[in-house]
Amino acid sequence: MINFNGNIQENDSVLTPSNRGYSYGDALFETIKASHGKLLFWEDHYFRLMASMRIMRMDIPMAFTMEFLEAEILKTLESEGLNQASARIKLQVHRAAGGLYLPTNKEVTFIISAQKIDQDFYLLSEEPYEVDLFKDFYIAPSLLSTLKTNNKAINVVGSVYAKENDLDNCLLLNTDKSVVEALNGNIFLVKGNTVKTPPLTDGCLKGVMRKQIIQILELMPELEIEEASISPFELQKADELFITNVITGIQPITKYRKKEYKNTVAKSVLQKLNVKVRLG
């Protein structure tokens, strides 16, 4: 079941060939983690969605308040029996059908779906996690590349490449050949007491979890956080690499080519992240 514009209905009764999200990628989405009816970092998700809709020149409906969308998400969780569990929520917005590249209908509709997940809080995986660079295609840095739109071709092709090469993930490069992000999250690099993550101007996703991790690192006096470009050369010099997203939290990378990594900083930051979740 999904929530389509406030109506709980069957999952297979929405998509048509004229759907603009399907036809032109004229859509945005937020992936949100819920824990026992609490939406984690909901305010950050909401304001990112509103900012993204403005960049996409979507008319934001008056009804799209933070309270309204939160209530619709909670309604969806309840309909799936997930209001007392942990869940992955996908909130999608797209312009209504009409027009070709140029929309002729300014109405915006939303779809909310939810799936059960096991972890209430964030756990650090100690399992091997190997990555490599994906160099078939590059991200062109711009405001659009920082948005969660339906245009995720590079992530799809990169995921197929990773599967074919027995990799757990791949790191994406921008057209300047800087490391931008992983296929499913932002990237952080630890060298000594410095932690680096690419700036938004390099084209990385404006990640909600990225924001939480930066805020946590800013309060850790033993570490220095930098938003700076990362060259592929730096990867093999690093002490740690980890990926962040709102579902997994922090995913340490254990191997890149012949280089193996520790996870000391990742563990320390994850503990503080879980405290933030409990207190938030």
Side-chain angles (χ1 to χ4, degrees):
M1 305 295 286
I2 61 166
N3 183 331
F4 179 55
N5 278 344
N7 301 311
I8 303 296
Q9 60 191 68
E10 293 290 341
N11 195 12
D12 59 359
S13 58
V14 172
L15 186 62
T16 68
S18 60
N19 180 287
R20 293 191 60 85
Y22 173 75
S23 298
Y24 301 111
D26 188 6
L28 296 157
F29 70 95
E30 290 289 326
T31 304
I32 305 156
K33 182 173 181 178
S35 181
H36 296 265
K38 176 186 175 184
L39 308 185
L40 305 190
F41 318 119
W42 168 237
E43 185 174 291
D44 290 325
H45 281 290
Y46 174 78
F47 285 116
R48 180 174 69 171
L49 178 63
M50 294 301 105
S52 299
M53 290 177 73
R54 291 188 187 99
I55 292 168
M56 288 286 287
R57 297 183 181 273
M58 290 181 174
D59 284 3
I60 300 174
M62 293 292 289
F64 273 29
T65 64
M66 190 157 62
E67 295 75 17
F68 169 76
L69 290 174
E70 181 179 20
E72 291 297 331
I73 291 170
L74 295 176
K75 183 167 77 174
T76 309
L77 289 172
E78 187 173 359
S79 75
E80 293 286 280
L82 296 175
N83 49 332
Q84 294 302 317
S86 287
R88 174 202 296 259
I89 297 148
K90 189 170 186 179
L91 165 60
Q92 302 177 75
V93 297
H94 58 270
R95 266 182 278 246
L100 301 175
Y101 288 146
L102 177 64
T104 56
N105 188 340
K106 292 187 176 182
E107 184 182 353
V108 173
T109 59
F110 68 87
I111 300 172
I112 303 169
S113 56
Q115 292 179 310
K116 188 178 187 302
I117 56 176
D118 293 329
Q119 291 85 16
D120 290 339
F121 290 100
Y122 293 115
L123 304 175
L124 193 87
S125 172
E126 301 277 3
E127 295 298 312
Y129 198 89
E130 185 175 355
V131 307
D132 204 341
L133 298 177
F134 180 60
K135 298 187 288 187
D136 290 4
F137 304 101
Y138 301 99
I139 290 174
S142 72
L143 260 183
L144 286 178
S145 67
T146 70
L147 308 184
K148 294 200 78 166
T149 71
N150 277 20
N151 297 288
K152 291 294 179 185
I154 191 170
N155 305 73
V156 172
V157 179
S159 297
V160 174
Y161 173 88
K163 176 74 172 176
E164 291 173 347
N165 289 276
D166 295 321
L167 298 166
D168 296 290
N169 210 324
C170 281
L171 304 182
L172 301 175
L173 301 168
N174 66 14
T175 47
D176 296 322
K177 307 301 187 292
S178 294
V179 178
V180 176
E181 60 193 3
L183 293 168
N184 65 342
N186 293 102
I187 184 79
F188 286 77
L189 178 152
V190 182
K191 177 65 175 173
N193 66 346
T194 300
V195 185
K196 286 178 68 173
T197 194
L200 298 180
T201 50
D202 276 5
C204 68
L205 178 73
K206 189 179 180 182
V208 166
M209 183 54 70
R210 174 186 182 274
K211 178 180 178 181
Q212 315 309 315
I213 300 304
I214 289 173
Q215 289 175 346
I216 289 169
L217 288 165
E218 287 174 339
L219 296 174
M220 297 176 71
E222 70 275 22
L223 295 171
E224 180 183 354
I225 175 67
E226 288 184 5
E227 293 185 62
S229 298
I230 295 173
S231 73
F233 179 73
E234 292 178 75
L235 298 177
Q236 292 179 312
K237 300 273 188 180
D239 300 320
E240 292 185 44
L241 294 175
F242 56 85
I243 298 163
T244 64
N245 64 51
V246 294
I247 300 301
T248 304
I250 295 175
Q251 172 61 60
I253 292 170
T254 61
K255 187 176 181 183
Y256 164 71
R257 297 185 179 175
K258 293 182 179 180
K259 171 75 176 186
E260 297 187 355
Y261 303 95
K262 302 179 291 183
N263 61 10
T264 308
V265 171
K267 280 184 177 177
S268 178
V269 174
L270 188 77
Q271 289 173 349
K272 296 179 186 301
L273 175 63
N274 278 321
V275 170
K276 187 173 186 177
V277 169
R278 288 185 179 97
L279 297 177

